Amino acid sequence: MTQRETKLPETRSALSRPLLAAVGLAVVLVIGFAALGLVLNTVDQTPEVPGRTGPLALVSIDAPDAASAPCTSLIEKLPAQLPSGKDVLPRRELASPAPPATVAWGDTEHDPVVLRCGLPRPAELSATSQLRVISDVQWLQLPGSGSSTWVVVDRGVHIALTVPDDAGTGALQDVSTAVRDLLPKQPVKATP
């Protein structure tokens, strides 16, 4: 600026500063709520894992003793929920047609635990099979991919309990107690 130029005073409206603050606050709030909505949507939208919601569809398998009195008695007396690690799994509804003498427990965060009663003697059971005794019930473990199936081998009927690997032993213990209390113990019948 040269000395000859005169500096004109700046003019400001009395409303411009509060109006600018209000608009700025509104913009910050809108951005904040939009970001919060995105975060909450991401947290609430857990991917749906097949088999964890709605009625559980199970294939029928050979279960010649499913309609037997021991299976009927056991199915009626099984607990309404089973432990899975630190969580508790409620009973799951089975899709129609449901296999006879079958019960499942699970929720949206856990793979199901499935019990089937009245199965034939497992081919893997032999005189040298390693059995695990839980609550005075003898089980044969059949390891699988991501889960194990445990088969009761010392009662009048064979009972299979399929448990996800991350479920812990609570389900096996609770079912063992029910089996022990309801079904009389019998000698294990294994092939030589």
Side-chain angles (χ1 to χ4, degrees):
M1 239 190 259
T2 63
Q3 289 182 353
R4 290 193 167 230
E5 293 177 22
T6 27
K7 195 173 188 182
L8 295 174
E10 290 182 32
T11 57
R12 287 191 182 159
S13 165
L15 295 176
S16 66
R17 213 175 216 172
L19 182 62
L20 185 58
V23 169
L25 180 62
V27 168
V28 168
L29 286 174
V30 167
I31 291 172
F33 280 121
L36 183 63
L38 287 173
V39 168
L40 290 178
N41 262 348
T42 326
V43 171
D44 288 344
Q45 291 180 351
T46 54
E48 202 166 294
V49 177
R52 288 190 179 171
T53 59
L56 181 63
L58 295 172
V59 296
S60 288
I61 60 173
D62 185 29
D65 296 325
S68 68
C71 284
T72 302
S73 173
L74 178 65
I75 296 299
E76 289 174 0
K77 304 285 188 203
L78 285 170
Q81 36 189 18
L82 287 179
S84 176
K86 295 180 181 180
D87 298 316
V88 176
L89 304 179
R91 275 221 191 165
R92 287 278 308 268
E93 177 186 354
L94 298 180
S96 291
T102 301
V103 176
W105 297 264
D107 60 23
T108 58
E109 296 179 20
H110 300 87
D111 288 331
V113 173
V114 178
L115 180 137
R116 296 173 185 260
C117 187
L119 305 177
R121 185 187 61 72
E124 297 85 352
L125 180 61
S126 70
T128 60
S129 293
Q130 294 293 316
L131 302 179
R132 182 172 294 172
V133 179
I134 302 170
S135 296
D136 203 32
V137 175
Q138 293 188 49
W139 295 86
L140 172 66
Q141 182 183 14
L142 307 173
S145 178
S147 66
S148 287
T149 298
W150 296 82
V151 182
V152 173
V153 295
D154 66 344
R155 299 303 192 247
V157 291
H158 291 98
I159 303 153
L161 183 68
T162 302
V163 182
D165 290 342
D166 63 354
T169 60
L172 196 56
Q173 292 169 347
D174 283 12
V175 170
S176 292
T177 301
V179 169
R180 178 198 66 208
D181 294 347
L182 293 169
L183 304 177
K185 191 174 188 176
Q186 295 187 359
V188 176
K189 295 177 185 169
T191 57

